[in-house]
Amino acid sequence: WRRVGAGVDGPFQVSVDALTVFDDGGGPALIAGGSFATAGAVPAQNVARWSGSAWSALGAGVDGRVRALAVLDDGNGAALYAAGDFTSAGGLPASRIARWDGLAWTPLGSGVDASVRALLAWDDGNGPGLIAGGLFTSAGGLPAAHVARWDGSTWQPLGGGLLGPVHALASGGAGPSAALLVGGAFAGGPETRDSYVAAWTCTDVQPPVLTVPEHVLVLETKGGAPGEVVTFEVGASDSCGIPPLVVCTPPSGSFFPRGTTWVTCAATDAAGNSAMAEFPVTVRLSAHER
């Protein structure tokens, strides 16, 4: 064993409750969160950075105990997330959870209404998100019984939540077939009545979202048979993240005769939900050839 600099200190019930590694641009460093006022004799309100040789503060820190830390890249670059009992971060209102990008603290919407005890970066198939668990019953002003997901801009509940505090989160993998594992002091879940430990997976009951062109217009080239080979793009997304199978009739790259032909596309997701859409493809002579 060896000490990490001079450690942390403070006037009341000093503790470190969470650790993670985060690179804020200055290289990987150890981040400590808890209940303390100094780190290595440097003022650091409840969260601090250890570079390997020295402690430093993360801005003005937060005004209450930090109980959980996580690192997430939501598409805007990797950031550190801290959560716990605080109501401000960097001097700004931040209800129990905040984001540190290496330069400044920002709140996550209106936050949650009570203590956060666990954080986890997890991709449920809809892209990376942050899962928070704790004593709260609302997130972003919406009912969220002790567990919720932050997608980078909004809070979302996970079904009916749980019937008691969440203290631990773990990933059972990534993607829609993987489970989020949750542990805590709950006596059951509204859906399954699981006690103390439960698994959440994406239940796909929604049809895919199919995106097709409004109209494809192609001008015939001079010479050759009347008509053209036409290519087009069709997109499809699904609530559980697995790209749906898309079949169009006629398919992209087919020969389309002169005039208007309607293309019908169908998208089917892994759960068997399907959606259909159609659009016209028009092949015509250019104006000077009429």
Side-chain angles (χ1 to χ4, degrees), residues 18-37:
L19 295 172
T20 194
V21 173
F22 174 59
D23 187 345
D24 61 3
L30 177 70
I31 309 298
S35 178
F36 50 84

Side-chain angles (χ1 to χ4, degrees), residues 34 45 82 85 88 153 212 231 234 238 242 252:
Q45 283 295 110
D85 302 339
S88 73
S153 60
V212 300
T231 60
V234 172
D238 186 64
I242 295 178
S252 177

Side-chain angles (χ1 to χ4, degrees), residues 93-109:
S95 188
R96 283 89 181 185
I97 187 164
R99 179 182 186 271
W100 171 257
D101 63 5
L103 297 173
W105 289 99
T106 54
L108 274 60

Side-chain angles (χ1 to χ4, degrees), residues 45-131:
Q45 283 295 110
N46 303 307
V47 60
R49 178 184 187 273
W50 171 254
S51 67
S53 59
W55 285 100
S56 59
L58 275 62
V62 300
D63 71 345
R65 187 172 181 174
V66 172
R67 295 180 180 269
L69 296 167
V71 176
L72 170 70
D73 186 344
D74 62 4
N76 297 310
L80 172 73
Y81 292 80
D85 302 339
F86 54 86
T87 57
S88 73
L92 300 174
S95 188
R96 283 89 181 185
I97 187 164
R99 179 182 186 271
W100 171 257
D101 63 5
L103 297 173
W105 289 99
T106 54
L108 274 60
S110 59
V112 300
D113 67 345
S115 180
V116 175
R117 300 299 176 89
L119 290 176
L120 177 71
W122 187 60
D123 187 343
D124 64 357
N126 295 306
L130 185 72
I131 307 298

Side-chain angles (χ1 to χ4, degrees), residues 95-275:
S95 188
R96 283 89 181 185
I97 187 164
R99 179 182 186 271
W100 171 257
D101 63 5
L103 297 173
W105 289 99
T106 54
L108 274 60
S110 59
V112 300
D113 67 345
S115 180
V116 175
R117 300 299 176 89
L119 290 176
L120 177 71
W122 187 60
D123 187 343
D124 64 357
N126 295 306
L130 185 72
I131 307 298
L135 279 60
F136 56 87
T137 56
S138 74
L142 301 173
H146 307 291
V147 61
R149 180 181 185 272
W150 172 258
D151 66 4
S153 60
T154 59
W155 285 102
Q156 304 157 346
L158 272 62
L162 295 157
L163 300 179
V166 168
H167 295 294
L169 298 166
S171 172
S177 62
L180 170 70
L181 307 175
V182 182
F186 48 88
E191 289 96 348
T192 62
R193 312 301 297 180
D194 292 325
S195 293
Y196 310 112
V197 63
W200 165 266
T201 54
C202 183
T203 302
D204 193 353
V205 296
Q206 300 295 324
V209 175
L210 192 54
T211 305
V212 300
E214 184 176 341
H215 185 200
V216 176
L217 174 62
V218 177
L219 297 180
E220 217 177 275
T221 56
K222 198 171 183 179
E228 284 293 327
V229 172
V230 179
T231 60
F232 50 81
E233 292 187 3
V234 172
S237 60
D238 186 64
S239 60
C240 277
I242 295 178
L245 174 66
V246 180
V247 177
C248 293
T249 306
S252 177
S254 298
F255 182 85
F256 284 75
R258 188 182 297 166
T260 297
T261 302
W262 283 86
V263 176
T264 301
C265 296
T268 305
D269 65 23
N273 305 304
S274 62

